[in-house]
Each structure stands twice: as C-alpha cells, then as structure tokens.
C-alpha cells in the first residue's frame, strides 16, 4: 500500500538526506564504531545541512516547520543505511521541545542560533544512578545563592546520551523539597554550560548497542548556574518533563519500526546471495514464510506509526496512544530483527554485518523513554483498569 503520511516536500528531504548519508556517513561509519562516538565535527555538517533547524522558528535561523515527520524520515533513513547520527539525536528530539516551549525570548535569542548551526550541542540530564525511572526521587540539588544571582548545583547523572560532546545540558534538579501531597514538586530545569567550574564528564559508558552514541556520567560540584539559565518556572520541572513524553515515545516507536523494516531489507539481500546445499537461502520455503511473516508485522507497525504521526502533527496524540505505539512497535521490532538475524545464520552474529549491530541497537527501545512495563501501565490506566 502507498504511504500517504508524507508529501512531496518530505520525499525531497528524504532524497537529500539519503545522498548525504551515503556520502558522509556510510564510508566512515566503521571508524565511528571503533571510536565509540561520532566526531564532533560531524555535527557541524548536520547544522549546515539544516537538520538541527527544521523545527526552529525562522527568526532564530531555522526553517519554522512544526511537523515531526521530518524527524521520522531521519530515523527511517539512518535505519535503512544501518547507521546513526551519533549522540546528536537528543539535541533535536529531546532538547528542542523544552527550549521552544519554556525558554524566554531572551533565552531563545541567546541559545537557538547556535543550536541550529551545531556550534552548541545540547543533551538532557534526568536519570541518576540511584533513581532510574523514578524521577521524583532525584537527589541532585540547585540552591539559590544568598544574593539571588545564581544557583549552586550539586549531584550526579548517568546514561546521558550526547553527554560527552554536549556544550549545554538541560539538568533536572531539586530546588525545593517534595511535599507530603506531591513528591514530584520541587524539580526545576537548568540549561547548564558544560565549561562551568565544577562540571565534570565522567566515564563514557560502554553500551551493548548504539556504539556511536556518546553516553556519559556527569557530576556537578558547586556549579554556579546563572538565574538567567533557569528554564521555565522554578519547581515546575516535573510537569514540563511529562508534557514531552508523547513525542519522545513516538520517536522511539518510529525508530523501532524503521529498524524492523531495515532488518527485512538486510535479510532479503543476504538470503538472495547466500547459497546452501546448492540453492540460495531465499529459495527455501521456510525463508519465504519467515520473511513474509516479518513483512506483515512491519506493515502493521508502519500503520501504527503513520496514524500516530498524523495525530501528533494535529496536536491530538495522547499519552496513552503514544505509549501504545511505542509498546507495539518496539515489541514488533524485537521479534522481526531476531528472526532476520536467524536467517543470516552464523554471519548474523558478526558485527561486520548490519543485522548484528541492529540487533544490539534495538534492545534499548523497550527500556528508554519508559519501559514496556510502564507503557502497559499507562495503557491500562487509560482503559480504566
């Protein structure tokens, strides 16, 4: 069936992006894998291409688009080629919504032009070593100085994607104690300059997958954050975090669908070339049945993603619908990628083959952005259960 979710402008963007990936990423991707991160200079190229500015208002140097579909195309094309853009994904997908929604006009003037160019890369720091998904339990604090000119930030964060290369990090910290009625109260957001004294990047974490994504531990020791860098209102950070979750989960759903579709492409190419017992692997009935079953699942995931993309662009994507899309698409991707790796036989376990890297990269989709179990809780609550 022909997809109707994208128009001619979207497809023109896809063509440009595909050519860029083939020229600038594919030839050097093995080097990125060996280094464990994309080079910082690559982000300047993304800035020049306009990737970072698609959804930034025109007055700050962006294209002024409101549609999330361009980000979906980036996910699809990266998956198709078996590559990623390193840790830069959070720069737009996770950080930009907070800057657009809660930054003052002065802050936007200070921050967004360099955001668009890639001169200033952003990450967001929520998770702490002892809290995981329980953000209300965070221990990082930000106390207002006696003269009211700055906050003093102390604490630690972990699993921070883009944390090695980041120039500014949106840090979630406690500015007040929780109340007995609301343990989520008292969290605020700060846009922290990573060159600040007392700010430190710890280990670059050694992950199972997403090897080109720089993920780090961060620590803050009496870091002075100017009051001008408070994002939004004090003590309302938890509510801000919740408002962006549907888009974050939609992005994970789309990425998972795209990975599953790519897995079928990789497997199809492999089984058509690979010969066993004098016949191509593709000629066996089991191969045909396995790939046909995978294709049916991916078709369903595509429909779920497309419906969610349309709802999001219309401002109608609910938290439960986003959770449902994430749950379904990530579970489909796990099954499809596993079956496609199986069709590769022993070679599917070799990292030189894209399917092996895809297998490792995909696993985190059922964890970050809210685990599959959390998604089920959200859906069940929406059902009145």
């Amino acid at each position: 069936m022909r997809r109707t979710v994208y128009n001619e402008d979207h497809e023109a963007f896809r063509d440009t992006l595909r050519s860029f990936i083939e020229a600038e990423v594919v030839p050097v991707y093995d080097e990125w894998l060996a280094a464990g991160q994309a080079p910082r200079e690559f982000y300047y190229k993304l800035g020049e291409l306009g990737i970072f500015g698609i959804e930034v208002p025109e007055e700050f140097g962006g294209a002024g688009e409101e549609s999330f579909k361009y980000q979906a195309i980036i996910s699809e094309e990266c998956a198709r080629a078996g590559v990623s853009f390193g840790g830069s994904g959070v720069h737009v997908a996770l950080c930009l919504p907070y800057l657009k929604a809660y930054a003052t006009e002065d802050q936007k003037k200070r921050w967004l032009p360099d955001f668009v160019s890639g001169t200033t890369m952003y990450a967001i720091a929520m998770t702490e070593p002892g809290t995981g998904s329980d953000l209300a339990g965070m221990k990082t604090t930000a106390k207002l100085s006696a003269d009211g000119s700055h906050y003093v930030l102390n604490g630690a964060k972990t699993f921070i994607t883009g944390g090695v290369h980041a120039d500014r990090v949106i840090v979630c910290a406690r500015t007040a104690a929780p109340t007995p009625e609301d343990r989520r109260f008292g969290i605020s957001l700060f846009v922290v300059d990573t060159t600040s004294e007392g700010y430190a990047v710890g280990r670059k974490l050694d992950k199972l997958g997403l090897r080109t994504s720089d993920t780090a531990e961060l620590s803050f020791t009496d870091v002075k954050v100017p009051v001008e860098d408070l994002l939004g209102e004090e003590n309302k950070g938890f509510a801000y975090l919740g408002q962006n979750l549907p888009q974050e989960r939609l992005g994970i759903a789309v990425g998972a669908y795209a990975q599953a579709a790519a897995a079928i492409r990789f497997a199809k190419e492999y089984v058509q070339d690979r010969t066993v017992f004098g016949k191509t692997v593709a000629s066996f009935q089991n191969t045909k049945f396995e790939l046909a079953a995978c294709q049916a699942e991916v078709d369903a995931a595509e429909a779920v993603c497309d419906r969610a993309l349309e709802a999001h662009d219309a401002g109608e994507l609910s938290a439960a619908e986003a959770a449902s899309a994430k749950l379904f698409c990530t579970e489909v991707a796990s099954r499809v990628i596993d079956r496609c790796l199986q069709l590769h036989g022993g070679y599917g376990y070799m990292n030189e083959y894209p399917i092996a890297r895809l297998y490792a990269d995909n696993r985190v989709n059922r964890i970050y952005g809210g685990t599959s179990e959390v998604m089920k809780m959200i859906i069940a609550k929406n059902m009145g259960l």
Side-chain angles (χ1 to χ4, degrees):
M1 294 180 288
R2 183 177 67 88
R3 297 180 78 182
T4 59
V5 70
Y6 298 123
N7 60 30
E8 291 182 359
D9 290 340
H10 294 129
E11 295 304 337
F13 173 72
R14 185 190 300 280
D15 291 341
T16 299
L17 184 63
R18 185 173 295 182
S19 297
F20 173 82
I21 289 172
E22 291 174 352
E24 300 289 344
V25 182
V26 172
V28 294
Y29 197 65
D30 285 344
E31 297 174 18
W32 296 6
L33 286 168
Q37 61 188 27
R40 180 62 178 83
E41 313 83 71
F42 174 68
Y43 298 153
Y44 296 124
K45 294 182 179 180
L46 291 178
E48 292 172 4
L49 190 64
I51 295 296
F52 297 148
I54 295 172
E55 298 174 48
V56 174
E58 293 181 13
E59 61 264 37
F60 304 114
E65 291 286 347
E66 293 295 332
S67 175
F68 188 72
K69 294 175 183 177
Y70 290 96
Q71 296 305 316
I73 291 170
I74 293 172
S75 293
E76 291 177 2
E77 289 304 307
C78 283
R80 178 187 179 276
V83 301
S84 82
F85 285 167
S88 68
V90 301
H91 181 69
V92 173
L94 297 190
C95 298
L96 182 58
Y98 294 108
L99 299 180
K100 289 174 64 177
Y102 308 116
T104 65
E105 285 303 302
D106 176 67
Q107 288 173 331
K108 290 176 181 177
K109 289 177 183 177
R110 285 197 289 130
W111 295 335
L112 289 182
D114 286 344
F115 179 101
V116 171
S117 67
T119 302
T120 301
M121 294 299 297
Y122 284 73
I124 186 165
M126 293 184 273
T127 305
E128 295 184 1
T131 59
S133 297
D134 181 21
L135 295 180
M138 70 176 60
K139 305 298 184 184
T140 297
T141 61
K143 297 182 179 180
L144 190 63
S145 63
D147 63 4
S149 66
H150 63 273
Y151 291 85
V152 180
L153 183 67
N154 283 282
K157 300 289 181 178
T158 192
F159 304 147
I160 309 307
T161 303
V164 174
H165 285 321
D167 302 291
R168 279 190 178 267
V169 177
I170 301 174
V171 177
C172 310
R174 281 210 164 275
T175 43
T179 66
E181 299 79 20
D182 185 7
R183 63 190 296 267
R184 300 172 178 178
F185 174 79
I187 294 172
S188 302
L189 307 184
F190 299 90
V191 181
V192 180
D193 185 340
T194 63
T195 64
S196 302
E197 185 177 354
Y199 181 102
V201 177
R203 291 186 303 150
K204 182 170 74 69
L205 299 175
D206 185 16
K207 306 185 300 296
L208 171 67
L210 302 178
R211 304 291 295 180
T212 63
S213 171
D214 55 306
T215 303
E217 296 175 330
L218 307 179
S219 66
F220 321 109
T221 305
D222 294 331
V223 176
K224 293 181 179 180
V225 183
V227 293
E228 294 83 7
D229 290 349
L230 171 69
L231 186 61
E233 295 183 42
E234 194 177 79
N235 300 326
K236 292 188 177 180
F238 198 95
Y240 298 158
L241 296 174
Q243 290 170 13
N244 191 50
L245 283 174
Q247 177 174 300
E248 180 181 350
R249 288 165 179 165
L250 171 59
I252 295 170
V254 172
Y257 148 71
Q259 289 175 327
I264 293 176
R265 175 173 175 257
F266 298 145
K268 183 180 175 182
E269 291 175 352
Y270 180 83
V271 298
Q272 288 176 327
D273 290 338
R274 176 71 169 165
T275 301
V276 179
F277 304 122
K279 300 165 62 177
T280 63
V281 176
S283 67
F284 291 93
Q285 185 182 65
N286 179 69
T287 303
K288 296 175 181 179
F289 281 9
E290 283 292 286
L291 286 177
C294 289
Q295 186 63 58
E297 289 214 79
V298 168
D299 286 345
E302 180 183 279
V304 168
C305 283
D306 288 357
R307 184 182 70 172
L309 283 169
E310 295 287 22
H312 182 272
D313 274 12
E316 299 172 354
L317 183 66
S318 70
E321 289 168 338
S324 179
K326 179 183 185 294
L327 176 65
F328 182 78
C329 292
T330 56
E331 295 291 337
V332 163
S334 69
R335 292 191 297 270
V336 167
I337 294 170
D338 184 78
R339 293 163 85 172
C340 288
L341 186 150
Q342 188 73 16
L343 289 173
H344 281 71
Y347 288 104
Y349 208 66
M350 300 296 108
N351 278 325
E352 66 186 274
Y353 283 81
I355 192 68
R357 301 196 297 265
L358 197 57
Y359 184 85
D361 290 351
N362 167 76
R363 186 58 185 88
V364 76
N365 288 333
R366 289 180 281 160
I367 298 173
Y368 66 6
T371 64
S372 291
E373 291 73 23
V374 170
M375 299 304 100
K376 291 174 184 176
M377 290 171 59
I378 294 169
I379 298 164
K381 183 177 180 180
N382 187 64
M383 295 168 66
L385 299 173

